[in-house]
Amino acid sequence: MKILINACLHIGGGLQVADSFIRELVNYPDNEYIVIISNEVKELLTTEVWKNRRLEDWQRPQQNKEKQELEVNLGFPKNFKFINIQYSKPSFVRVFSARYKPFDGIVEKYKPDVAFTIFGPAYWKPKNIPHICGFAKSQYIYTESPFFKQMTKFNFVKLKIKGLIQKYSFRRDAQIYITENEDVSKKLQKILTKHKIYTVTNYYNQVFDDEKLQQEFVLPKFNGITLLTITSTYPHKNIKIIKPVAEHLINKYPNFKFRFVVTIDIEIFGYSKNNLPAWLLPIGKVKIYQCPDLYRQSDFMFLPTLLECFSASYPEAMKMQKPILTSDLPFAHGLCGDAAEYFNPISAEDIAEKIYILANDKEKQKKLIENGLKQLTTFDTYNQRTEKYLNIIKNTIEDKQ
């Protein structure tokens, strides 16, 4: 099979999925892969610790001197072709025409059998070949989320308009969609009634299984409870709730020592480096290779999110044997089962109380860890995910023929 993979992503959990999936494809040498990557995905795939693991008979990376040439050599086997196109917001013409000259040119040049966009909307419909697309837009699935009640009228209307455009793109641009959650698949089928919908879950990245790939990230020493949140600054992640949670803990339990380690910048909390409170450690953006070390130095994984199709933070915490504190919402229960302590994500008081109680209950922590290891077995591993993706792609090609 000759497969075109659109991995032109620039932010969020989709990056680690792209990185994990592309690396796993090395184990399927019978196919030819034309992979469109953004600068962010390229950075992940060219990390030194990964390049150093390459097989000796693989291609050596070579710098391309022709600036206008998009093809880049990342040191993968010869059945891989990488094309670096930096992510840019789709133009008005592209959104409503489904035409994108760089992608169209790649299809014309390489003539793939199928196109697979890891996560959409793609705002692009390839000519004459089937298109498979990943779906992770939880705002169109979990419309009852408290996230919408917190929005201003302006932002709510803005989201509705954007939603109409994206739903139009989803209906038009691909024939098959893949979600990461069975519940999402059922709800999406009601929206995309004429499309085939498959479920392939997310998982933790291969780096969590290979210490040679991992990089150190040393946190300042702390004699207390460390709550880790690995996330991007999306509004639905509900990160601002941390400040009132901390205030409640300080006021009610002044002797309780805790800190929140978050992978975002200070600005979202309204602090500066000069007046940063002791309970907050914003470490900014981190690389996937540094995440295992962050988990090792933490006591709990904390995720107050209001919307998810899937969060890799859940299987990551289960793998690293860290108790999970997360939102008492349907998607979280569906993914974590008995492996989490749940709280009302819009109640700072409830969150604070759940943190304090769990921090003082070693038996509950142990039980959550045990349940997490069991729950982890319900997800597709990165090997299984790749195999399922390829089977869907193969069946799509055969159906066309």
Side-chain angles (χ1 to χ4, degrees):
M1 297 183 294
K2 185 184 288 189
I3 306 168
L4 172 63
I5 300 170
N6 174 14
C8 199
L9 302 159
H10 76 111
I11 193 173
L15 289 173
Q16 79 86 14
V17 174
D19 173 69
S20 177
F21 172 56
I22 293 167
R23 285 199 265 142
E24 195 63 22
L25 288 175
V26 171
N27 298 317
Y28 299 86
D30 294 336
N31 303 317
E32 185 176 346
Y33 307 106
I34 301 99
V35 190
I36 305 172
I37 55 173
S38 63
N39 289 347
E40 290 81 3
V41 173
K42 178 184 175 184
E43 182 182 359
L44 284 173
L45 293 171
T46 54
T47 300
E48 286 302 320
V49 291
W50 167 236
K51 287 164 61 177
N52 291 340
R53 295 180 73 245
R54 303 288 168 80
L55 300 175
E56 292 182 0
D57 60 342
W58 288 12
Q59 300 179 73
R60 295 292 181 183
Q62 297 177 358
Q63 185 175 0
N64 198 317
K65 296 181 181 180
E66 295 184 27
K67 294 182 180 180
Q68 70 273 21
E69 180 60 64
L70 296 174
E71 294 181 12
V72 290
N73 188 336
L74 302 185
F76 275 65
K78 293 181 180 181
N79 60 320
F80 283 79
K81 183 78 68 177
F82 289 95
I83 303 168
N84 186 199
I85 299 178
Q86 176 52 2
Y87 171 87
S88 60
K89 290 186 177 181
S91 66
F92 180 86
V93 174
R94 176 182 171 184
V95 167
F96 290 101
S97 70
R99 300 270 54 83
Y100 187 43
K101 190 174 181 180
F103 286 12
D104 289 340
I106 292 167
V107 171
E108 185 176 350
K109 179 177 180 179
Y110 295 101
K111 296 178 173 53
D113 300 310
V114 64
F116 174 40
T117 294
I118 294 179
F119 287 109
Y123 299 116
W124 173 66
K125 185 176 182 179
K127 295 180 179 179
N128 303 320
I129 59 172
H131 188 195
I132 303 165
C133 188
F135 180 91
K137 292 294 182 181
S138 54
Q139 61 267 40
Y140 308 136
I141 301 299
Y142 297 109
T143 55
E144 72 283 0
S145 169
F147 170 66
F148 300 104
K149 297 178 182 178
Q150 294 184 341
M151 299 180 73
T152 64
K153 288 185 178 180
F154 175 79
N155 286 336
F156 183 78
V157 172
K158 184 178 177 181
L159 182 66
K160 283 291 185 181
I161 295 172
K162 185 177 181 180
L164 290 172
I165 295 171
Q166 290 191 339
K167 288 178 183 178
Y168 170 72
S169 174
F170 279 122
R171 288 190 178 96
R172 176 197 62 193
D173 295 342
Q175 298 78 45
I176 295 170
Y177 284 93
I178 303 174
T179 83
E180 301 172 301
N181 183 324
E182 187 62 38
D183 186 50
V184 173
S185 290
K186 292 176 181 177
K187 288 179 168 62
L188 182 62
Q189 191 70 78
K190 295 178 181 179
I191 299 173
L192 304 178
T193 56
K194 297 181 180 179
H195 296 69
K196 288 186 178 180
I197 311 293
Y198 295 92
T199 304
V200 182
T201 73
N202 200 343
Y203 202 58
Y204 59 77
N205 190 281
Q206 290 98 315
V207 68
F208 285 85
D209 282 332
D210 191 342
E211 291 187 4
K212 294 179 181 178
L213 280 174
Q214 297 171 13
Q215 294 178 346
E216 190 177 54
F217 194 112
V218 180
L219 297 175
K221 294 291 184 180
F222 183 71
N223 185 26
I225 296 296
T226 294
L227 299 106
L228 176 66
T229 304
I230 298 177
T231 184
S232 298
T233 317
Y234 291 119
H236 69 266
K237 294 293 185 178
N238 194 31
I239 300 304
K240 289 184 179 181
I241 195 71
I242 289 177
K243 185 175 180 180
V245 169
E247 291 171 348
H248 182 88
L249 285 169
I250 292 169
N251 291 333
K252 190 170 181 179
Y253 307 106
N255 295 323
F256 180 54
K257 295 182 179 180
F258 66 94
R259 68 174 174 180
F260 290 92
V261 176
V262 293
T263 57
I264 54 180
D265 296 324
I266 303 170
E267 289 75 16
I268 191 174
F269 297 102
Y271 295 111
S272 66
K273 291 182 179 179
N274 297 326
N275 70 341
L276 197 63
W279 55 263
L280 180 62
L281 183 58
I283 58 177
K285 184 179 179 181
V286 297
K287 296 179 179 179
I288 186 65
Y289 305 98
Q290 298 168 318
C291 290
D293 201 39
L294 288 173
Y295 278 103
R296 291 189 191 99
Q297 299 170 80
S298 303
D299 297 289
F300 302 138
M301 190 282 281
F302 176 72
L303 192 63
T305 180
L306 300 176
L307 276 174
E308 297 291 341
C309 283
F310 197 105
S311 172
S313 291
Y314 293 140
E316 288 171 1
M318 294 170 189
K319 164 65 179 176
M320 298 303 294
Q321 300 187 39
K322 299 298 176 180
I324 296 169
L325 280 153
T326 193
S327 306
D328 188 7
L329 292 171
F331 63 80
H333 280 275
L335 295 171
C336 297
D338 295 328
E341 179 68 19
Y342 298 100
F343 51 69
N344 180 348
I346 59 175
S347 170
E349 181 178 357
D350 186 56
I351 297 173
E353 291 298 325
K354 293 295 175 55
I355 290 172
Y356 183 78
I357 292 170
L358 185 61
N360 290 281
D361 191 341
K362 298 297 182 182
E363 284 301 314
K364 182 65 177 292
Q365 294 176 33
K366 182 179 177 182
K367 189 63 177 177
L368 290 177
I369 291 170
E370 292 174 353
N371 291 342
L373 292 173
K374 293 177 183 177
Q375 186 70 12
L376 193 58
T377 64
T378 67
F379 302 136
D380 295 316
T381 66
Y382 44 79
N383 314 93
Q384 292 169 333
R385 173 175 58 196
T386 301
E387 188 169 339
K388 285 187 175 183
Y389 278 170
L390 290 176
N391 283 337
I392 293 169
I393 290 169
K394 180 182 177 181
N395 291 337
T396 301
I397 293 172
E398 290 176 350
D399 288 346
K400 185 191 174 186
Q401 294 173 345

